[in-house]
Each structure stands twice: as structure tokens, then as C-alpha cells.
Amino acid sequence: MNKENKLIPGLPLGFEDKWNKKLILKKKLINIIENNFVKFGFEPLETPSFEISENIGSFLADDDSNLMSDVFSFKDGEKNITLRYDLSSPLARFVAQNNQELPLPYKRYAIQNVFRNEKAGNARYREFTQADCDIVGNVNPAQANAELCNLITSTLIECGLKKDQFVVNISNRKIIQGLIEELKIPDDKKIKVMRAIDKLDKPGFGLKGVEDLLKKERADVSGAITKGADLTEDQASQIINFLKVKDLRELKENLKNPLSQEGIEELEDLMEIVSYGDYLDQIKTNFTIVRGLAYYDGFCVETNLNFKTTNNKGKQVDIGSICSGGQYNKLISRFKGVDIPGTGVSIGVDRLLFAMMQLDQIEVNEKKPVIICVMDEKYLINYYEILKVLRDKDINSEIFLDSKKNLGKQLTYANKKQCPVAVICGENEFKDNTITIKNLLGVKGENNQITFPKENLINEIKKFI
């Protein structure tokens, strides 16, 4: 390949590499999340990245003319396959396929990557990690959903967020569904209405943006047009007025249709169960929460941060919900011979990571290795003896892999890697049965190098790591 044809390294928009502190923090968060999920009685499940397209469904689609526009789909022989866009649809397929062997209720957690062919933005990726917990089976909904609210709060606190830094917002989709039925909005417009309401707290929307989506169309700042639900002025006005109500009692007085009343009562029952635990003050009702995915049909939840985050240009941005979910009674019943309800939540691990990197509230121990410099190739066996002693004591360590490089270049490598200590031994050390180490993180200009008897190696190294 000549110079003109050489590749330019880069990634598609919405994808990112993670390394060093960011990746270590992500792994730490996942470990905390997983431990807390297990503590709450959930068991793990792993499903493939690809599902048969008709099994995974098209619940994400905004474009009615192209239901698979927001996902990555491919031809696979006679069938189409799709990269999973969430972890709930694969769970539904798994439960339908294995329901005879599963304990019901089935409490499962999954921590895996999902893929969405959507517009990328601030902490909005096209491949990202979700950490899901779901309860599948015929249970008391108030108990199951209260358990999920407690799980969200407990997990985020374990991850390092303080109570005043986030709020768990809950609602019930039946409340707005009742209003929609009361307004005689036709079936083909209902999901568009739900998705319009779900945009209320998204950046750049607000009541005006939602109103535009309820009516004919909305133009964003770039001029792009999104078709609206095409409601009448009266229908749109009544929904906007509903979105302004904040108090549960006021809502109960204003909405008299049976379905809305049912949703309100379910919320009251949930809050009663939550009051038996420690997190009642963390959980608030917010009737604008309806969730955009089409399979939710009852309880829904979104968890929002109470502080601003900034993008890589220093501009304040709203990254949206860091943990969302809800109740789905018909997702699994799409499959033949199975009718099992479910409810679940999903933590956006990469969004949480984005926020935690800025807060810097959680300690990250990168555990960089001790570097053993190779001063003379004839002592290679001696360097490997030192390496074995360190590793046998669970001290992260490595030996420099090119003995032809001089000490300066070896230390440059060690400094770039942020190694805390270098072992520097030559003929004198091996003759005197001593070891010399250098504190690479010490103050420049000070004597950061010490020599000591070989048997003191572990004790001396531990002073610097």
C-alpha cells in the first residue's frame, strides 16, 4: 500500500474507544452494579448480540414508513437479523422459549452492549452498555415496581452518587392512555402522542416542542422536520394542560375516566410499598414520564441527575435519564402460547460513566505495574527471578521487552505508562545481592532512588504502590 492509499484511523459517529482511567472506572461501576443486582436476588442472563428481526420487533421506530430505521439489520439467508437495541426484547424471546424451565417470577439481570442507529450526541451513543434488571411473572405490581425503585436508588448510591444528585421520577402510562381514549384519539396516532410527550424534558423540546409534535410537525434547530401526530387544536391543548399538572391529588380530581384512575391508584399503591423502605424521599411522581418504547403499558420510571454535565467543548449539556424502564404486559405474549407480564429497569452505564467522570467522586485505583528494567541481557534470568517474586505476591509487574533499548528509553516508556516504580539492577546489585528501585512518581530534583538488600524487595516496593 503506497502513501497515497494509507488509511486514516477513525471511528463512525456515536462509537468510542475507552481506555486508561475511563475504562477502569467503567469496569468498577459494572462490578458495583452487578453486586447490587445479585444482592437484590436477581440472577444473570447473557443473550446473543443478534436476534431474528421479527422476534426483536420494531418498538424503537419513529419512522412509520421504515420500522427498522433506528436499528442495525442485515440479511442472513432467508431471514433478517438485527443487532439488539435493548435487553428487554431478547429477554422476552428467551422467556417465551424457556418458560417451562424458569422459576416464576423470574428475576434476571443482564449487562451487555446494545446498538441503535440513531443520531449521536452528548452521552448518546450508537453502541453502549446497559445494565438491566427485570421481574417476569404474575406478581403484585406495586411490590415489583417498588422493588425496582429501591434497586435503582440503592445501586446509584453504591456507585458513588449522593442522594441530592439524582431523583427517581415515576408515573403510570395508564394515566395518559386514559386521557387519550377520552379525547377519542385514533389508534394509529396513539404511539406518536406517547413519543411526543416523552420528549418533554429532552434538550430543545419543552412544552412548545411537544405541542408541535402533537400537531402537524416540528422543525429542529437544523431545519429537519419531524412529522407530528396531527391532532386537533382541542386535543393538543388538553394534553398540554395535563402536562402542567404536578400534584397527584389534583390529577385525581381532574381525570375521571376509569383507566386514568386505575393508573393513579397503582401509583399510590407503589408509593405505599416504597414508604416501607429507606428511599421514599428519593422517588417522585412526574406524570410527563411515559417512556418512548411502544411496549410499556403501566408503571414507568426515569432517573435524572440534579447537576449539569459538560461536553468536551466545555458546554453544559443535559444527558437525559441514566436509568429508565417500566411495565410491559404484552411484550412476551407476542410469542405463541405464552402470556407472562414483566417489569424492568435499565441503567445506561456509559451515561452514568460520563457523569461520574466529571464528578470525580469515586476513587479509581489504576494499579499500574512495577517495571523491571533490563540493564544487561546477560542477567535476564535474574530479572525474571525478580519478576516472579513480585507476581507471586500479587504485585502487578512487567519486564521491559527490548534489552537493546537504553535505560533512558525504558524509563520514558515507564513514565508514559505511569508506572509507580522501576527496578534498576545491574552488575553491582547482582554481585552485592541488593536491589535498586526508583520512585517514578516522586518529586523531581529529589533523590528518588534507593538500594536495599534483596530480601527487602516486597516491603520496599509496597511503600510506593
Side-chain angles (χ1 to χ4, degrees):
M1 185 178 283
N2 59 40
K3 280 187 178 180
E4 290 72 24
N5 294 329
K6 282 198 171 180
L7 300 173
I8 298 172
L11 284 172
L13 197 63
F15 298 86
E16 72 165 8
D17 298 315
K18 293 182 179 70
W19 62 313
N20 282 351
K21 181 178 178 180
K22 191 171 189 178
L23 181 56
I24 292 168
L25 178 55
K26 180 175 178 176
K27 287 177 177 288
K28 183 169 185 175
L29 289 174
I30 287 174
N31 186 54
I32 292 169
I33 291 167
E34 184 165 23
N35 286 340
N36 217 46
F37 285 178
V38 172
K39 185 168 73 176
F40 273 68
F42 292 83
E43 58 185 71
L45 171 68
E46 183 175 288
T47 58
S49 298
F50 279 99
E51 294 278 345
I52 296 170
S53 297
E54 62 186 25
N55 284 350
I56 204 169
S58 55
F59 299 103
L60 200 65
D62 276 329
D63 184 354
D64 292 336
S65 64
N66 184 4
L67 293 178
M68 305 305 280
S69 61
D70 295 330
V71 297
F72 295 99
S73 289
F74 307 88
K75 195 75 178 169
D76 183 45
E78 295 182 359
K79 289 188 176 291
N80 289 323
I81 58 174
T82 297
L83 277 171
R84 58 172 178 249
Y85 53 79
D86 70 1
L87 300 177
S88 299
S89 293
L91 170 66
R93 188 267 310 154
F94 173 81
V95 171
Q97 198 172 352
N98 299 281
N99 69 91
Q100 295 299 319
E101 289 79 42
L102 293 174
L104 291 178
Y106 176 49
K107 296 177 68 176
R108 90 85 175 83
Y109 77 85
I111 304 174
Q112 295 183 268
N113 282 11
V114 300
F115 308 83
R116 296 187 182 179
N117 192 15
E118 299 177 326
K119 186 177 179 181
N122 299 305
R124 297 186 72 87
Y125 308 101
R126 294 202 288 165
E127 179 187 9
F128 51 95
T129 306
Q130 286 189 338
D132 282 28
C133 270
D134 289 75
I135 302 170
V136 175
N138 291 298
V139 295
N140 179 340
Q143 278 186 267
N145 294 324
E147 180 78 343
L148 293 175
C149 290
N150 288 330
L151 174 69
I152 293 169
T153 307
S154 171
T155 302
L156 293 180
I157 290 171
E158 289 290 329
C159 284
L161 284 178
K162 297 173 182 173
K163 283 189 174 183
D164 62 354
Q165 291 178 323
F166 70 96
V167 61
V168 181
N169 293 299
I170 63 168
S171 186
N172 192 301
R173 203 159 174 167
K174 292 178 183 178
I175 298 172
I176 185 63
Q177 283 174 330
L179 177 60
I180 288 171
E181 289 184 8
E182 196 176 295
L183 295 174
K184 294 182 168 53
I185 294 170
D187 288 345
D188 62 334
K189 295 183 178 181
K190 286 179 180 178
I191 189 59
K192 279 203 167 188
V193 172
M194 289 292 193
R195 287 191 175 136
I197 295 169
D198 190 54
K199 296 282 195 290
L200 180 64
D201 293 324
K202 305 292 188 291
F205 282 86
L207 284 171
K208 178 63 172 66
V210 172
E211 188 174 6
D212 289 344
L213 286 174
L214 290 173
K215 294 178 179 178
K216 188 175 181 181
E217 62 186 22
R218 175 183 179 270
D220 66 17
V221 289
S222 70
I225 301 294
T226 303
K227 286 185 179 180
D230 203 20
L231 302 186
T232 66
E233 282 287 337
D234 179 63
Q235 287 171 331
S237 174
Q238 289 205 48
I239 290 172
I240 292 298
N241 289 336
F242 159 79
L243 294 177
K244 294 176 182 177
V245 177
K246 305 296 180 189
D247 183 70
L248 191 61
R249 278 173 294 183
E250 182 184 348
L251 199 68
K252 200 169 186 177
E253 291 170 6
N254 291 345
L255 290 178
K256 297 298 185 182
N257 70 79
L259 188 57
S260 293
Q261 287 288 320
E262 184 181 323
I264 291 167
E265 287 171 12
E266 287 180 6
L267 271 186
E268 290 174 332
D269 292 343
L270 187 160
M271 292 299 283
E272 173 70 23
I273 300 292
V274 168
S275 71
Y276 303 157
D278 296 328
Y279 302 125
L280 181 61
D281 292 342
Q282 208 67 34
I283 297 156
K284 310 292 181 188
T285 54
N286 182 341
F287 312 118
T288 67
I289 305 293
V290 296
R291 303 296 298 129
L293 289 170
Y295 51 66
Y296 292 120
D297 51 20
F299 160 77
C300 43
V301 58
E302 287 190 359
T303 310
N304 299 98
L305 300 174
N306 292 332
F307 59 90
K308 294 294 182 183
T309 53
T310 56
N311 61 17
N312 54 12
K313 296 178 182 176
K315 182 182 176 183
Q316 279 196 349
V317 293
D318 182 354
I319 64 172
S321 174
I322 57 170
C323 182
S324 306
Q327 192 168 312
Y328 45 87
N329 289 325
K330 300 298 179 187
L331 183 63
I332 301 170
S333 66
R334 296 178 304 123
F335 296 96
K336 184 178 179 181
V338 195
D339 189 9
I340 306 172
T343 186
V345 295
S346 176
I347 296 173
V349 176
D350 291 298
R351 281 195 189 179
L352 178 61
L353 174 66
F354 183 89
M356 298 306 291
M357 286 291 290
Q358 300 194 18
L359 284 178
D360 204 24
Q361 285 177 188
I362 185 168
E363 186 178 332
V364 176
N365 185 354
E366 296 187 64
K367 295 184 178 178
K368 297 287 188 177
V370 172
I371 182 80
I372 300 171
C373 298
V374 179
M375 305 284 287
D376 192 327
E377 194 167 4
K378 71 182 181 182
Y379 296 117
L380 206 54
I381 189 172
N382 303 90
Y383 297 128
Y384 275 96
E385 284 175 2
I386 296 172
L387 184 67
K388 183 179 185 316
V389 170
L390 293 174
R391 288 180 176 171
D392 284 350
K393 293 295 183 179
D394 290 327
I395 294 173
N396 298 346
S397 46
E398 66 173 281
I399 190 167
F400 195 76
L401 299 175
D402 186 356
S403 58
K404 294 181 175 60
K405 293 272 195 328
N406 63 34
L407 179 60
K409 288 184 177 178
Q410 295 185 42
L411 292 177
T412 298
Y413 164 81
N415 285 323
K416 198 167 186 178
K417 195 167 180 176
Q418 297 180 316
C419 297
V421 179
V423 175
I424 305 172
C425 293
E427 184 176 357
N428 289 337
E429 281 80 9
F430 293 124
K431 184 179 66 176
D432 298 337
N433 211 25
T434 59
I435 289 178
T436 297
I437 64 172
K438 183 173 184 178
N439 175 14
L440 299 178
L441 303 180
V443 178
K444 282 188 177 179
E446 292 186 1
N447 183 14
N448 294 310
Q449 196 162 298
I450 58 170
T451 301
F452 49 82
K454 184 178 178 180
E455 59 268 20
N456 294 345
L457 173 62
I458 300 302
N459 290 336
E460 294 295 336
I461 287 283
K462 284 185 174 179
K463 294 176 182 177
F464 301 102
I465 60 173

